Amino acid sequence: MTSRTEPLTESLLRRFHAVIPAGGVGTRLWPLSRADAPKFLHDLTGSGTTLIRSTYERLSPLSGERMMVVTGIKHREAVCRQIPELEPADLVLEPEPKDSAAAIGLAAAILHQRDLSSGRGESTIMGSFAADQVIAPVDVFQEAVREAVAAAAPSADSAGKIVTIGITPTHPSTGFGYIRAGEHFEADGAPHAQQVVEFVEKPGEEIAQQYVNSGDYLWNAGMFVAPVGLLLQHLQQTEPELHAGLTEIARSWGTEQQDEVLARVWPQLPKTAIDYAVAEPAAAAGDVVVIPGDFTWDDVGDFAAIARLNPAADQESMTVLGEKARVYSEEASGVVVSETKRVVALIGVENIVVVDTEDALLVTTTDHAQSVKKAVEALKEKGDSDVL
Amino acid sequence: MTSRTEPLTESLLRRFHAVIPAGGVGTRLWPLSRADAPKFLHDLTGSGTTLIRSTYERLSPLSGERMMVVTGIKHREAVCRQIPELEPADLVLEPEPKDSAAAIGLAAAILHQRDLSSGRGESTIMGSFAADQVIAPVDVFQEAVREAVAAAAPSADSAGKIVTIGITPTHPSTGFGYIRAGEHFEADGAPHAQQVVEFVEKPGEEIAQQYVNSGDYLWNAGMFVAPVGLLLQHLQQTEPELHAGLTEIARSWGTEQQDEVLARVWPQLPKTAIDYAVAEPAAAAGDVVVIPGDFTWDDVGDFAAIARLNPAADQESMTVLGEKARVYSEEASGVVVSETKRVVALIGVENIVVVDTEDALLVTTTDHAQSVKKAVEALKEKGDSDVL
């Protein structure tokens, strides 16, 4: 397949640096996903590849070695095992979780600092894509990223745009935020770009149906492509304190002071989402563009998603995840995720979800998949945090 | 409470020897019950006592130290731990399972041999009660056994009777065989004794309902009280080969030849149930009497029985068995049996059965409790015998 956007975008892609924020425990996937082994470190599609590795492999054809991961300090080893190709300077380890504005903002600030040091006078175009999403087909996704890079690029008379990739909704989901797309946005190499009118929060069912019917709304998948300078400008305007802290850390990055500065400044940073800190105010200022993404996208939010993403192999319609799984099922359907060598026998249970780990067992149904979060909160209160 | 049958029965009870056949894996209670840890070695009522120990404690007020256990050789240590009071000569270890006629017949033959050696000229009255049944109240059961002993006793002009205790049915069960009771049987100390017309196999639903409506039928709980001489007479008539083998073993019992004879003769014995070998032909000959038992009786055949026998303690109507159990349930009902320290979280599952052991996990519903046997057979075929 040849790209529609050759050759302009190819030169822009050399300025493209992929950023993978790898955070979020994925509470609704407990007991599989937990503080020590969050969602992105699991293979939830039976592909043999963890979600973070799949994310890397999806992006590296575009970014090459220009790849940064922002994750919690306790995941250092796991992430290095998953992405041994990562440059040490491109592994950003958060001393504690500070939400997405700090994580993505620090990546932007570090990349911006490199731009300044290089003296090239060109802004890196970063693309931030969460580590725990499932996307197919990959080439359609990559084509959308190419368009996003083209639409984001600054020019002589413009600082560029913050470009998001919005997913064409397949149903009126109440679990996602939406992006309201407006007029066509004119940009070389980005024939599908549209101005973003606004970002809207997760709607109720009726509103969600109206959104889907209108054809004007896309799912907000939290994908952002932007010149780092522009992203930081907006961050500075909305969250000056956060911007100042991140800039201080970025200036020390790669120097002997890095660890000391990070340890001192990071804990003081305000906690906020990139949506509030950058995307929404930038959209209000007319600075956000969207590329519609006609690929399937799943954030694997719960075990119902796992059942959906992994069609059952046998006629019993039982989805089984787990290399060592020994599952026997009879008049049963649903999903079994096995992290043990135990025999699991399922008899006469429909749409069941069984997650079997060494220290915790979950039994629920796909209909109750969203309630797992509540169970985790209750276990925390009961003092069972050893298994969370 | 004073017995209705004093003092005659008290002198007869000195000739009473309780026999506890402890066999049967309890396949429908897999993975809790299995070849290495059969049903009778478990506490299935949350009483803190295994079923075999409860059986011992129910009988010892009647038999005193006159107690015999017949079990598989691999359960020697477990049984000795459960009943340290047992005399070594009263622990009969089967080299391999040979069904109930051989097990109960050997007990009878050994006790008969002791009668002959003693020169007292009196027949021991044995009472055989399976090791894996749950009975309450115990005093009502004991009173029925007293009547059975009284009705079984030989007299100057009679070899006595084979007496069974039949359970007054509470519902038209299709899972049990039935005993058809006939005319009143006149015996001192056994005011409720009735002649047995016949034993009938597990009926269909319609027939079962007719049985219950008629008032003439009792559940066959496999309880037999009989003078050992009479029991052996019937066995000799129906199964002469089995009788001869058992007699040979019994003659060597307690001698240096015991183990050699047992190892040589036992494997050759025919395999048959005590019902076919003794009870049914003896009933046809008018030699069987029944005492109706107005106590609750459960053979804990499956996990639905465990749910029934262990009312849920909390408002969630979730029954939990297992000392170390850490169960969290939300909008869930049913039974959890936990042999591990694992946290078990149940969300939105009704009438669920979860059995969590170190090497196997069962998830089913109380409605499917009977199907567990099928699962075990399927696992055997699949080569998963390590967990059976």
Side-chain angles (χ1 to χ4, degrees):
Chain A
M1 174 171 163
T2 49
S3 164
R4 292 170 285 175
T5 53
E6 294 276 12
L8 172 69
T9 314
E10 289 312 306
S11 77
L12 284 175
L13 277 176
R14 282 191 283 277
R15 290 160 59 185
F16 177 64
H17 202 108
V19 173
I20 305 177
V25 171
T27 305
R28 281 167 302 177
L29 292 176
W30 178 87
L32 184 67
S33 185
R34 51 176 79 193
D36 287 340
K39 192 163 74 165
F40 63 84
L41 290 175
H42 292 275
D43 166 20
L44 300 180
T45 61
S47 66
T49 309
T50 61
L51 294 183
I52 192 172
R53 180 72 200 177
S54 295
T55 304
Y56 171 85
E57 289 177 356
R58 195 156 56 230
L59 290 166
S60 63
L62 301 171
S63 69
E65 291 174 358
R66 296 176 303 281
M67 184 86 67
M68 182 174 277
V69 173
V70 187
T71 192
I73 191 151
K74 69 164 83 160
H75 306 309
R76 179 210 296 258
E77 278 182 41
V79 167
C80 288
R81 260 198 309 276
Q82 289 301 315
I83 313 178
E85 299 90 342
L86 206 60
E87 297 287 337
D90 278 341
L91 177 59
V92 179
L93 298 167
E94 303 169 295
E96 60 188 90
K98 277 289 174 183
D99 214 334
S100 55
I104 297 170
L106 180 54
I110 291 169
L111 294 171
H112 184 57
Q113 204 57 40
R114 286 188 200 161
D115 286 344
L116 295 178
S117 314
S118 77
R120 281 195 313 268
E122 275 185 344
S123 185
T124 291
I125 298 171
M126 72 179 275
S128 172
F129 303 90
D132 53 8
Q133 304 186 342
V134 174
I135 286 168
V138 168
D139 55 357
V140 178
F141 164 78
Q142 289 167 339
E143 188 53 33
V145 176
R146 284 169 191 274
E147 285 204 46
V149 170
S155 63
D157 56 353
S158 149
K161 291 287 175 186
I162 294 174
V163 185
T164 185
I165 297 172
I167 314 299
T168 309
T170 54
H171 63 277
S173 170
T174 58
F176 306 131
Y178 285 72
I179 299 162
R180 185 171 166 204
E183 293 182 357
H184 176 68
F185 175 77
E186 189 60 41
D188 279 352
H192 303 89
Q194 286 177 274
Q195 201 71 40
V196 167
V197 179
E198 59 173 342
F199 290 89
V200 291
E201 306 255 352
K202 296 173 187 176
E205 280 181 37
E206 206 176 320
I207 302 284
Q209 189 62 62
Q210 286 172 22
Y211 287 173
V212 172
N213 294 347
S214 76
D216 292 337
Y217 288 82
L218 300 160
W219 287 337
N220 180 2
M223 301 175 179
F224 295 105
V225 176
V228 290
L230 177 64
L231 191 144
L232 289 169
Q233 262 176 43
H234 281 284
L235 188 65
Q236 185 169 28
Q237 233 156 24
T238 320
E239 293 280 347
E241 195 192 335
L242 178 58
H243 179 270
L246 296 175
T247 303
E248 187 178 354
I249 297 169
R251 284 192 181 133
S252 76
W253 205 254
T255 73
E256 284 182 357
Q257 285 74 50
Q258 172 183 320
D259 292 348
E260 179 269 314
V261 174
L262 185 67
R264 175 169 50 80
V265 176
W266 186 265
Q268 311 302 327
L269 296 179
K271 240 175 162 168
T272 183
I274 191 78
D275 307 77
Y276 306 138
V278 174
E280 292 177 10
D287 248 359
V288 185
V289 162
V290 64
I291 308 294
D294 281 323
F295 45 82
T296 65
W297 167 84
D298 205 305
D299 69 347
V300 207
D302 60 29
F303 288 110
I306 290 187
R308 201 166 59 229
L309 287 167
N310 297 272
D314 61 5
Q315 71 254 50
E316 290 277 354
S317 56
M318 184 59 74
T319 293
V320 178
L321 280 189
E323 280 177 42
K324 299 171 284 188
R326 297 168 70 188
V327 174
Y328 164 82
S329 73
E330 176 80 30
E331 295 178 53
S333 65
V335 54
V336 177
V337 184
S338 165
E339 287 208 317
T340 74
K341 289 183 197 167
R342 284 198 299 177
V343 166
V344 178
L346 305 150
I347 306 169
V349 280
E350 300 285 332
N351 300 316
I352 198 83
V353 172
V354 173
V355 185
D356 183 39
T357 74
E358 287 300 339
D359 61 0
L361 168 68
L362 171 71
V363 179
T364 186
T365 68
T366 47
D367 288 347
H368 288 80
Q370 291 278 326
S371 306
V372 173
K373 189 171 185 169
K374 199 170 143 194
V376 170
E377 283 156 11
L379 287 168
K380 197 176 286 178
E381 271 182 34
K382 277 180 67 185
D384 287 327
S385 296
D386 56 312
V387 299
L388 302 181
Chain B
M1 175 169 163
T2 49
S3 166
R4 292 170 288 177
T5 54
E6 294 279 6
L8 173 70
T9 313
E10 289 311 306
S11 78
L12 285 175
L13 277 176
R14 282 193 282 278
R15 289 160 61 185
F16 177 63
H17 203 108
V19 173
I20 304 176
V25 171
T27 306
R28 282 167 301 177
L29 291 177
W30 178 87
L32 184 67
S33 185
R34 52 177 79 192
D36 287 339
K39 191 163 72 165
F40 63 83
L41 290 175
H42 292 274
D43 166 19
L44 300 181
T45 62
S47 67
T49 309
T50 62
L51 295 183
I52 191 171
R53 179 73 200 175
S54 296
T55 304
Y56 171 84
E57 290 178 355
R58 196 157 55 228
L59 290 166
S60 63
L62 300 171
S63 69
E65 289 175 356
R66 297 176 302 281
M67 184 85 66
M68 182 174 275
V69 173
V70 187
T71 192
I73 190 150
K74 71 164 83 159
H75 305 308
R76 179 210 295 256
E77 278 181 42
V79 167
C80 289
R81 257 199 310 277
Q82 289 300 315
I83 313 179
E85 299 90 342
L86 207 60
E87 296 287 337
D90 278 341
L91 176 58
V92 179
L93 298 167
E94 304 169 295
E96 61 187 88
K98 277 287 176 185
D99 214 332
S100 55
I104 296 170
L106 180 54
I110 291 169
L111 294 171
H112 185 56
Q113 204 57 42
R114 287 188 199 161
D115 286 344
L116 296 178
S117 314
S118 76
R120 279 195 316 267
E122 276 186 340
S123 184
T124 291
I125 298 170
M126 71 179 276
S128 172
F129 303 90
D132 51 9
Q133 302 184 344
V134 174
I135 285 168
V138 168
D139 55 356
V140 179
F141 163 78
Q142 288 167 339
E143 189 52 35
V145 176
R146 284 168 190 273
E147 286 205 45
V149 170
S155 63
D157 55 352
S158 149
K161 291 288 176 187
I162 293 174
V163 185
T164 184
I165 298 173
I167 314 299
T168 309
T170 53
H171 64 276
S173 170
T174 58
F176 306 132
Y178 284 72
I179 299 163
R180 185 171 165 201
E183 294 182 359
H184 175 69
F185 175 76
E186 190 61 41
D188 280 350
H192 301 91
Q194 287 177 272
Q195 202 70 40
V196 166
V197 180
E198 60 173 342
F199 290 88
V200 291
E201 305 254 355
K202 295 173 188 177
E205 280 181 37
E206 206 176 320
I207 302 286
Q209 188 63 62
Q210 286 172 23
Y211 286 174
V212 172
N213 294 347
S214 75
D216 292 337
Y217 288 81
L218 300 161
W219 286 338
N220 180 2
M223 301 176 181
F224 295 105
V225 176
V228 291
L230 177 64
L231 190 144
L232 290 169
Q233 264 178 42
H234 281 284
L235 187 66
Q236 184 169 27
Q237 235 159 19
T238 320
E239 293 281 348
E241 194 191 335
L242 177 59
H243 179 269
L246 295 176
T247 303
E248 186 178 354
I249 297 169
R251 284 191 181 133
S252 76
W253 206 253
T255 73
E256 283 181 359
Q257 284 74 50
Q258 171 184 318
D259 291 349
E260 179 271 311
V261 175
L262 185 67
R264 175 169 49 78
V265 176
W266 187 265
Q268 310 301 326
L269 296 178
K271 241 176 160 166
T272 182
I274 190 76
D275 307 77
Y276 307 139
V278 174
E280 292 177 11
D287 248 359
V288 185
V289 161
V290 65
I291 308 294
D294 281 322
F295 46 81
T296 65
W297 166 84
D298 204 304
D299 70 345
V300 207
D302 58 29
F303 288 109
I306 289 188
R308 200 165 59 228
L309 288 167
N310 297 272
D314 62 5
Q315 71 256 50
E316 289 279 352
S317 56
M318 183 60 73
T319 293
V320 177
L321 280 188
E323 281 176 43
K324 298 172 284 187
R326 296 167 72 186
V327 174
Y328 165 83
S329 72
E330 176 79 30
E331 293 178 54
S333 66
V335 54
V336 177
V337 185
S338 164
E339 289 207 317
T340 73
K341 289 184 199 164
R342 213 184 308 241
V343 166
V344 178
L346 304 149
I347 305 168
V349 282
E350 300 284 332
N351 299 315
I352 199 82
V353 172
V354 174
V355 186
D356 183 40
T357 73
E358 286 300 340
D359 60 1
L361 169 68
L362 170 71
V363 179
T364 185
T365 69
T366 48
D367 289 347
H368 288 80
Q370 291 278 326
S371 307
V372 174
K373 189 171 185 168
K374 199 169 143 196
V376 170
E377 283 156 10
L379 287 168
K380 197 176 284 176
E381 272 183 32
K382 276 180 67 185
D384 286 327
S385 296
D386 57 314
V387 299
L388 302 180

